[in-house]
């Protein structure tokens, strides 16, 4: 209290306390007193008396006061960014009568609020701001002691959260907060992913690292003030990290238009990925796995494949990994090879391949290579004449090559190289002389024929003389004429480079040339013309313009002696008679020696291991031993009856008068209208497995084609082997008895060709036969060998053995009761050779023995003239020798070099050598 008296410093004061539970007096020497032990919430009356000297007391002044305790347990609840609720406690007895004064102060903020309860809701605050609260209990205008406290409002949630610079393991987060006090905030970033952790930032930005690639993350951002004591409500965003780039990309070529791409991903989350493959920056494809097959590409073209890993949200992509790959170039579809007439060259042209290409490489086996940029044709030069070349072409692109296309192509023939040696001429009588010459070089093509030209002139011979005949010479129209034409058959290797001797003046006729007698005492020269191609005008005179020919030098003059007939006719006649007698006696003696007791040897069976020495012995002296064997075989079977063939109705069914079927083994057809309807020029022939394994027949005539097909139908023949061309050297050897594109009726049989495949040495045709009154259909396959000359032998043994193997493999698939029909022109020479080869090969395989002589003997007992020429007999022995050698030297591909191409035929797969064979000779 106060007192302004002058002498107040000498005063004492009595304080009278009057309350419901307490009355007392207190004394104080000052203007202050502390009164204790009052009861809270109670009205007390205080009267203060000033005293002087302990006895004089002034009038009192007083005050009424309610006692009260400060509030306690102040609590803030439901604190938000702009509001809060404050609660407190007050245990005074009279507290229910209190009012409370709340003083609120903050930054640029002050407000006084009153509450009748220990609770108050406060709003209008600033987010993230510190507020101080002072609370007074008041009753009847009397305030108790204050209680103060402070609190921060929550910061506002952040907004506009952005994830930027996202990589596979890191990203940057930015956000915004517009609170007034935001500059004082700290931010807690809670990262929730494969693992959870917190990060903190004083800024509205934070870089996050050490994340896992391709994973889903949730980021919650809390604004904090007052350290971490006051934290606002979070805002959040979700993000996928980018997948890592793929690695180990492998591109495999599936075809020229398709690749298979494989790759790997290093990420733990790769099982949730899909992948996008971008092709050349434009078209793309999606793959759920780490591989993809890409199709519809262009061959020979560079492609950039960019592979993106895509996270599980199907939109977050990683950094692409690129791989540049060139598809395989496409092969050319068409590759043609043609000879260049009379030049050692080949003309090649081919189709432009699909896709891109830089050029082509032509390879000629064992010869040369040639690179071409973008041309699709070329001429290959510097080759040899009449040589078969294996030529391959590959497409080039991106330093890659296509699958090669291959052709076998033979260069042209041309005029033979001239013979530099003159023929040797020698007078043999007064009106004839012999011309001896050696075979021409066949490097420009095989020699097809020789012409011997006679002249009484000097100088050189030209193509012009080929049109002149002996009659022209006799009529003095020319001094030079063609006396003789010798056609040259293909020969075995043993007969190459031989000498020829031609008798001039023997009055023989070849084609349109007569070899007439010469004048006694005449002087003549000879010249030899060799032909690699010879054509005739009306099969008589050589067509010089269309023939390829070269000439030898003229021989020296040969002079003929005078005719001695007038002087020595009688003497010569006597001598000739004597010589004839001597010859007859000698022949009889020789025959008796060779055929003891009129017995002809039927077999010469040899062990395979002994055959080589036997072969060398028989081959010596120009095949002398084989020639003797062949002579022994001439009469075999010849005396057997051929009555059916000699019937007048059947004579017109025979192609050759000297090749007629024996009655004992002839094939009999069904009789239809006439008793002779059963006749056809064909015989059953024994094979290795049965007596009727083959039928040997002549090539059909126009009037026997129906009978030929009737034989195939009635005898249930599935396999036909044809060993001749229809026309050879201008002569018809066999009627073309089969239909081409459209089916054809042969009597009551309808025949249709179902396939035809051409190869260089043979052709395969399939036919279907159906009888008009039957639904039954019968298939037939024809194997047509086109590389065998009439009366001759093929160029090499392996070619025919390969062909026989092809036929034999097909025969094995058919019923054993079905005979194989073999024919050439006459049905004896080439036909007999083929059947003999089949028998001999099986004999070597199964018995380890070989009997060429006995095989031919047996065949001739069933059909006349089988293995018609000595050359064919020698050729048979060469085949046997080559097979034995190939086994011995293990050249297993000798015989099968042409069979790979045959895999294209249905029901045919070449057998592996030596499988299931007794001795392995089926090489």
């Amino acid at each position: 209290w106060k007192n302004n008296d002058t002498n107040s410093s000498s005063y004492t004061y009595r304080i009278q306390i009057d309350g419901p539970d307490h009355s007392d007096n207190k004394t104080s020497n000052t203007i202050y007193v502390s009164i204790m032990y009052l009861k809270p919430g109670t009205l007390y009356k205080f009267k203060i008396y000033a005293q002087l000297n302990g006895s004089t007391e002034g009038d009192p002044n007083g005050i009424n006061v309610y006692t009260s305790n400060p509030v306690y347990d102040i609590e803030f609840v439901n604190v938000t960014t702009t509001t809060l609720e404050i609660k407190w406690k007050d245990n005074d007895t009279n507290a229910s009568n209190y009012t409370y004064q709340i003083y609120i102060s903050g930054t640029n903020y002050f407000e006084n609020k009153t509450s009748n309860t220990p609770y108050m809701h406060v709003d209008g605050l600033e987010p993230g701001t510190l507020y101080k609260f002072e609370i007074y209990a008041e009753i009847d205008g009397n305030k108790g002691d204050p209680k103060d406290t402070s609190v921060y409002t929550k910061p506002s949630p952040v907004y506009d959260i952005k994830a930027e610079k996202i990589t596979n393991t890191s990203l940057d987060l930015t956000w915004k907060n517009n609170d007034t006090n935001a500059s004082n905030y700290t931010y807690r970033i809670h990262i929730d992913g494969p693992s959870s952790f917190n990060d903190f930032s004083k800024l509205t930005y934070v870089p996050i690292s050490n994340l896992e690639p391709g994973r889903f993350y949730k980021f919650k951002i809390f604004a904090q003030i007052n350290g971490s004591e006051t934290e606002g409500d979070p805002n959040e965003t979700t993000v996928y990290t980018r997948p890592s780039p793929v690695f180990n990309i492998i591109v495999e070529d599936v075809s020229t238009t398709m690749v298979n791409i494989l790759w790997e991903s290093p990420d733990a989350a790769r099982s949730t990925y899909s992948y996008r493959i971008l092709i050349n920056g434009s078209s793309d494809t999606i793959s759920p796995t780490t591989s993809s097959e890409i199709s519809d590409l262009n061959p020979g073209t560079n492609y950039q494949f960019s592979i993106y890993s895509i996270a599980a949200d199907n939109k977050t992509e990683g950094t692409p990994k690129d791989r540049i790959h060139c598809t395989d170039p496409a092969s050319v579809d068409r590759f043609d090879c043609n000879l260049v007439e009379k030049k050692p060259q080949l003309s090649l042209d081919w189709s432009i391949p699909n896709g891109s290409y830089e050029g082509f490489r032509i390879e000629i086996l064992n010869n040369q290579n040639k690179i071409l940029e973008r041309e699709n044709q070329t001429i290959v030069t510097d080759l040899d004449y009449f040589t078969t070349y294996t030529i391959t072409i590959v497409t080039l692109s991106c330093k890659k090559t296509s699958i090669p296309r291959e052709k076998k192509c033979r260069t042209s023939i041309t005029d033979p190289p001239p013979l530099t040696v003159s023929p040797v001429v020698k007078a043999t009588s007064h009106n004839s002389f012999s011309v001896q010459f050696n075979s021409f070089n066949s490097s420009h093509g095989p020699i097809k024929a020789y012409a011997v030209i006679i002249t009484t002139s000097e100088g050189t011979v030209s193509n012009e003389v080929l049109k002149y005949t002996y009659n022209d010479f006799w009529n003095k129209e020319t001094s030079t004429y063609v006396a003789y034409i010798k056609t040259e058959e293909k020969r075995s290797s043993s007969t190459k480079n031989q000498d020829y001797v031609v008798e001039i003046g023997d009055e023989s006729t070849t084609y349109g040339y007569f070899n007439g007698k010469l004048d006694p005492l005449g002087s003549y020269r000879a010249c030899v013309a060799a032909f690699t191609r010879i054509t005739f005008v009306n099969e008589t005179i050589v067509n010089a313009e269309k023939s390829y020919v070269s000439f030898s030098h003229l021989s020296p003059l040969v002079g003929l002696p005078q005719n001695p007939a007038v002087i020595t006719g009688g003497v010569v006649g006597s001598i000739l008679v004597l010589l004839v007698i001597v010859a007859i006696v000698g022949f009889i003696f020789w025959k008796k020696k060779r055929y003891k007791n009129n017995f002809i040897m039927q077999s010469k069976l040899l062990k395979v291991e002994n055959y080589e020495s036997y072969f060398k012995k028989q081959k010596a002296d120009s095949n002398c031993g084989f020639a003797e064997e062949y002579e022994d075989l001439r009469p075999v079977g010849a005396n057997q009856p051929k009555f059916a063939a000699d019937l007048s109705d059947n004579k017109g069914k025979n192609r050759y008068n000297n090749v007629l079927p024996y009655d004992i083994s002839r094939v009999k057809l069904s009789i239809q209208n006439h008793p002779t309807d059963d006749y056809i020029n064909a015989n059953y022939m024994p094979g290795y497995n049965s007596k009727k394994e083959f039928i040997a027949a002549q090539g059909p005539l126009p009037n026997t084609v129906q009978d030929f097909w009737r034989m195939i139908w009635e005898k249930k023949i599935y396999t036909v082997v044809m060993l001749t061309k229809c026309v050879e050297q201008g002569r018809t050897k066999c009627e073309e008895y089969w239909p081409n594109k459209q089916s054809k009726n042969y009597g009551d049989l309808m025949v249709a060709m179902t396939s035809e495949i051409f190869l260089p040495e043979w052709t395969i045709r399939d036919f279907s036969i159906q009888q008009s009154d039957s639904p039954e259909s019968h298939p037939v396959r024809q194997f047509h060998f086109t590389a065998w000359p009439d009366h001759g032998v093929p160029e090499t043994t392996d070619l025919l053995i390969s062909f026989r193997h092809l036929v034999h493999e097909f025969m094995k698939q058919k019923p054993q009761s079905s005979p194989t029909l073999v024919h050439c022109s006459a049905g004896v020479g080439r036909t007999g050779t083929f059947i003999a080869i089949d028998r001999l090969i099986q004999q070597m395989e199964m018995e380890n023995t070989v009997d060429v002589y006995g095989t031919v003997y047996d065949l001739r007992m069933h059909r006349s003239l089988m293995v018609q020429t000595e050359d064919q007999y020698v050729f048979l022995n060469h085949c046997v020798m080559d097979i034995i050698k190939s086994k011995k030297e293990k050249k297993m591909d000798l015989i099968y070099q042409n069979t790979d191409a045959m895999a294209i035929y249905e029901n045919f797969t070449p057998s592996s050598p030596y499988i299931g064979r007794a001795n392995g000779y089926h090489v």
Side-chain angles (χ1 to χ4, degrees):
W1 55 90
K2 293 180 181 180
N3 193 313
N4 291 331
D5 290 355
T6 305
N7 197 27
S8 62
S9 59
S10 301
Y11 294 170
T12 60
Y13 299 92
R14 180 175 68 88
I15 301 95
Q16 180 182 333
I17 305 166
D18 189 10
D21 60 348
H22 185 90
S23 295
D24 195 8
N25 287 293
K26 282 191 176 290
T27 302
S28 176
N29 292 323
T30 65
I31 55 173
Y32 164 82
V33 68
S34 175
I35 301 171
M36 299 170 55
Y37 307 113
L38 301 179
K39 186 177 181 180
T42 302
L43 178 63
Y44 289 90
K45 295 179 180 180
F46 296 92
K47 289 182 178 180
I48 302 171
Y49 298 87
Q51 294 179 339
L52 183 63
N53 296 323
S55 57
T56 304
E57 190 174 65
D59 295 327
N61 201 351
I63 186 171
N64 296 329
V65 175
Y66 274 93
T67 57
S68 66
N69 280 331
V71 300
Y72 69 97
D73 278 351
I74 301 173
E75 181 183 2
F76 294 99
V77 295
N78 296 326
V79 179
T80 70
T81 56
T82 59
T83 65
L84 56 79
E85 294 175 7
I86 185 169
K87 297 191 295 184
W88 58 88
K89 292 180 180 178
D90 192 330
N91 288 336
D92 289 356
T93 304
N94 202 26
S96 60
N97 297 316
Y98 289 174
T99 58
Y100 298 94
Q101 296 291 327
I102 301 99
Y103 294 89
I104 307 169
S105 62
T107 304
N108 299 321
Y109 180 90
F110 182 82
E111 190 172 356
N112 183 15
K113 291 181 177 288
T114 301
S115 175
N116 293 322
T117 64
Y119 165 83
M120 175 167 281
H121 175 81
V122 181
D123 56 15
L125 305 178
E126 285 287 330
T129 301
L130 179 65
Y131 287 90
K132 183 178 181 182
F133 293 82
E134 291 182 353
I135 305 173
Y136 298 84
E138 184 179 277
I139 188 169
D140 294 338
N142 293 310
K143 291 180 180 179
D145 292 333
K147 185 70 174 179
D148 62 25
T149 187
S150 61
V151 69
Y152 278 92
T153 51
K154 283 186 177 183
S156 298
V158 301
Y159 68 96
D160 198 17
I161 302 173
K162 293 181 180 178
E164 300 173 327
K165 299 181 181 177
I166 302 171
T167 71
N168 56 335
T169 59
S170 65
L171 54 80
D172 291 347
L173 283 178
T174 63
W175 59 88
K176 293 180 181 179
N177 193 310
N178 289 334
D179 289 356
T180 305
N181 200 30
S183 60
N184 295 314
Y185 289 174
T186 299
Y187 297 94
R188 178 171 70 91
I189 302 93
H190 179 74
I191 299 102
D192 192 8
S195 60
S196 297
F197 59 96
N198 291 308
D199 205 347
F200 296 88
S201 176
K202 292 279 188 184
L203 306 172
T204 56
Y205 156 82
V206 67
I208 308 293
S209 58
N210 298 321
L211 304 178
E212 290 189 26
R215 290 292 194 183
F216 174 78
Y217 284 92
K218 181 186 287 186
F219 299 93
K220 292 183 178 179
I221 304 175
F222 301 81
Q224 295 179 335
I225 192 72
N226 191 26
S228 61
E229 295 298 320
T230 303
E231 190 171 69
D233 293 330
N235 208 345
E236 66 183 37
T237 188
T238 57
V239 176
Y240 273 89
T241 50
R242 295 185 186 278
S244 301
V246 302
F247 70 100
N248 196 24
I249 300 175
I250 298 172
V251 183
E252 299 173 338
D253 288 296
V254 178
S255 68
T256 59
T257 60
M258 182 183 296
V259 297
N260 189 35
I261 307 178
L262 306 96
W263 61 87
E264 296 180 52
S265 171
D267 297 345
R270 58 184 174 271
S271 62
T272 66
Y273 291 176
S274 57
Y275 301 89
R276 181 166 69 95
I277 301 100
L278 188 66
I279 305 167
N280 280 355
S282 55
S283 61
D284 59 6
T285 184
I286 301 296
S287 173
T289 64
T290 55
S291 67
S292 181
E293 199 167 71
I294 309 297
S295 58
D296 297 326
L297 303 175
N298 282 327
T301 303
N302 262 322
Y303 285 91
Q304 177 175 293
F305 300 102
S306 303
I307 304 175
Y308 296 78
S309 300
I310 306 174
D313 62 348
N314 293 324
K315 62 182 180 180
T316 301
E317 292 186 342
T319 303
K321 198 73 173 179
D322 298 335
R323 175 57 55 91
I324 294 177
H325 180 80
C326 185
T327 50
D328 284 343
S331 303
V332 299
D333 290 327
R334 176 184 57 80
F335 181 34
D336 294 328
C337 174
N338 297 292
L339 58 80
V340 180
E341 199 76 20
K342 297 194 77 172
K343 291 186 178 180
Q345 301 174 355
L346 291 173
S347 173
L348 310 179
D349 70 273
W350 55 91
S351 59
I352 298 299
N354 295 327
S356 302
Y357 65 97
E358 296 168 3
F360 306 93
R361 183 172 71 237
I362 307 291
E363 294 184 3
I364 302 175
L365 190 64
N366 299 327
N367 189 278
Q368 59 182 277
N369 291 343
K370 191 171 187 177
I371 303 293
L372 303 170
E373 289 193 355
R374 296 186 66 83
E375 301 93 336
N376 67 323
Q377 59 184 15
T378 188
I379 299 291
V380 182
T381 59
D382 301 324
L383 304 176
D384 294 327
Y385 287 104
F386 196 66
T387 302
T388 300
Y389 291 94
T390 300
I391 304 173
T392 59
I393 180 172
V394 294
T395 307
L396 307 177
S397 187
C398 316
K399 298 182 179 179
K400 298 176 78 175
T401 59
S402 69
I403 296 172
R405 287 280 188 205
E406 183 177 293
K407 275 279 187 180
K408 287 187 182 293
C409 196
R410 181 179 284 171
T411 49
S412 172
I413 59 175
T414 189
D415 300 336
L419 188 65
T420 56
V421 179
S422 301
V424 177
V425 291
K426 182 179 180 181
T428 56
S429 74
H430 63 283
N431 54 13
S432 64
F433 65 90
S434 65
V435 178
Q436 182 178 355
F437 60 94
N438 193 262
S439 56
F440 276 53
N441 188 313
S442 61
S443 61
H444 288 184
I447 305 301
K448 299 294 186 181
Y450 292 100
V452 180
I453 299 163
I454 307 302
T455 184
T456 55
S457 304
E458 296 184 2
T460 58
V461 177
S462 67
N463 293 24
E464 182 71 16
V465 304
L466 297 175
K467 66 181 181 181
Y468 294 116
T469 65
Y470 178 83
N471 289 337
D472 298 327
F473 176 77
W474 186 259
N475 294 328
K476 309 299 183 183
E477 295 176 13
T478 179
S479 60
T480 306
Y481 70 98
V482 176
Y484 183 80
I485 298 287
K486 177 175 180 57
T487 55
E488 178 75 345
E489 303 291 358
K490 292 180 181 177
R491 297 177 174 269
S492 65
S493 59
S494 63
T495 59
K496 291 181 178 178
N497 299 321
Q498 72 174 37
D499 284 339
Y500 298 90
V501 178
V502 175
E503 186 74 13
I504 302 301
D506 66 358
E507 296 188 309
S508 62
T509 300
T510 51
Y511 296 91
Y513 298 101
F514 177 62
N515 188 4
K517 293 184 180 296
L518 302 176
D519 292 333
L521 301 177
S523 294
Y524 303 93
R525 299 177 188 270
C527 168
V528 177
F531 298 84
T532 52
R533 174 192 288 174
I534 185 167
T535 60
F536 294 89
V537 178
N538 297 325
E539 296 191 15
T540 56
I541 305 301
V542 172
N543 187 333
E545 292 182 358
K546 295 184 178 180
S547 299
Y548 296 171
V549 59
S550 291
F551 300 90
S552 71
H553 294 302
L554 285 173
S555 71
L557 277 172
V558 58
L560 301 184
Q562 179 59 276
N563 186 350
V566 176
I567 303 171
T568 61
V571 176
V572 171
S574 300
I575 293 173
L576 286 174
V577 170
L578 182 61
L579 287 174
V580 169
I581 294 170
V582 171
I584 291 172
V585 172
F587 178 74
I588 293 171
F589 176 79
W590 179 75
K591 292 292 283 186
K592 284 184 178 180
K593 182 178 180 182
R594 287 191 60 82
Y595 305 106
K596 296 177 181 178
N597 300 321
N598 293 322
F599 176 75
I600 300 175
M601 188 179 296
Q602 297 183 16
S603 173
K604 292 189 177 183
L605 186 66
L606 297 167
K607 286 283 188 182
V608 165
E609 54 266 29
N610 299 330
Y611 182 80
E612 186 171 359
S613 60
Y614 162 80
F615 178 83
K616 291 179 180 178
K617 175 186 173 184
Q618 299 299 92
K619 188 175 180 295
D621 298 327
S622 300
N623 299 310
C624 181
F626 289 134
E628 288 180 1
E629 287 182 3
Y630 188 74
E631 286 299 318
D632 290 349
L633 289 166
R634 282 191 185 277
V636 172
N639 294 326
Q640 297 183 91
K642 297 173 274 193
F643 297 131
D646 287 328
L647 293 175
S648 58
D649 286 344
N650 292 336
K651 286 184 178 180
K653 301 177 184 178
N654 300 316
R655 180 174 289 278
Y656 301 101
N657 293 332
N658 64 330
V659 182
L660 303 176
Y662 297 140
D663 291 332
I664 192 171
S665 59
R666 75 179 180 91
V667 176
K668 295 180 181 180
L669 305 180
S670 63
I671 296 175
Q672 296 181 327
N673 300 315
H674 193 274
T676 58
D677 288 345
D678 71 340
Y679 179 79
I680 189 169
N681 192 318
N683 292 93
Y684 286 110
M685 302 303 298
Y688 183 78
N689 300 296
S690 74
K691 288 296 183 182
K692 293 185 177 182
E693 190 168 349
F694 294 95
I695 290 176
Q698 71 176 17
L701 292 161
N703 61 319
T704 65
V705 171
Q706 288 188 19
D707 294 336
F708 190 81
W709 283 110
R710 189 155 62 94
M711 175 173 62
I712 292 173
W713 177 265
E714 291 181 1
K715 305 307 175 185
K716 293 183 171 51
I717 293 168
Y718 292 93
T719 312
V720 176
V721 181
M722 179 174 178
L723 302 170
T724 180
K725 296 177 184 176
C726 290
V727 177
E728 292 179 347
Q729 295 185 350
R731 291 180 171 86
T732 299
K733 294 290 185 176
C734 176
E735 190 70 16
E736 186 173 318
Y737 54 84
W738 60 89
N740 287 318
K741 294 182 179 179
Q742 295 184 342
S743 60
K744 191 173 180 180
N745 290 322
Y746 299 94
D748 63 348
L749 295 174
M750 184 176 71
V751 181
M753 184 163 66
T754 57
S755 72
E756 184 175 38
I757 301 175
F758 293 95
L759 289 173
E761 287 85 15
W762 55 73
T763 300
I764 310 295
R765 299 180 182 95
D766 284 324
F767 302 99
S768 174
I769 315 175
Q770 190 170 4
Q771 201 167 34
S772 58
D773 58 352
S774 170
E776 179 186 358
S777 177
H778 180 74
V780 176
R781 176 167 289 176
Q782 181 206 57
F783 296 85
H784 186 183
F785 191 78
T786 55
W788 197 336
D790 189 20
H791 297 293
V793 294
E795 285 185 326
T796 59
T797 61
D798 60 328
L799 192 62
L800 185 60
I801 298 171
S802 294
F803 180 72
R804 172 265 168 195
H805 171 71
L806 174 65
V807 174
H808 186 75
E809 288 297 302
F810 185 77
M811 288 168 59
K812 289 195 302 184
Q813 302 175 31
K814 302 306 174 186
Q816 194 167 0
S817 59
S818 169
T820 294
L821 173 57
V822 186
H823 76 88
C824 48
S825 181
V828 292
R830 288 176 267 193
T831 298
T833 306
F834 179 86
I835 296 173
I837 287 175
D838 183 80
R839 281 185 55 167
L840 290 167
I841 289 176
Q842 293 188 75
Q843 184 181 33
M844 288 188 286
E845 289 172 359
M846 307 310 294
E847 301 175 16
N848 199 39
T849 60
V850 60
D851 187 2
V852 179
Y853 181 94
T855 297
V856 177
Y857 183 100
D858 193 17
L859 296 182
R860 287 199 165 202
M861 289 299 295
H862 290 77
R863 184 171 173 85
S864 64
L865 300 176
M866 293 295 278
V867 187
Q868 190 176 10
T869 67
E870 182 184 321
D871 275 354
Q872 290 170 352
Y873 185 76
V874 173
F875 180 76
L876 269 178
N877 283 275
H878 272 282
C879 287
V880 171
M881 189 69 256
D882 286 349
I883 292 171
I884 294 173
K885 283 184 177 179
S886 67
K887 163 62 181 172
K888 199 173 182 180
E889 298 169 7
K890 297 185 178 179
K891 292 182 180 177
M892 293 191 293
D893 60 346
L894 170 67
I895 307 305
Y896 295 118
Q897 61 185 354
N898 289 315
T899 58
D900 287 345
M902 302 314 300
I904 59 176
Y905 299 119
E906 60 180 356
N907 302 324
F908 173 74
T909 303
S911 298
S912 298
Y914 309 115
I915 295 176
R917 303 300 181 187
N919 298 296
Y921 287 98
H922 204 273
V923 290

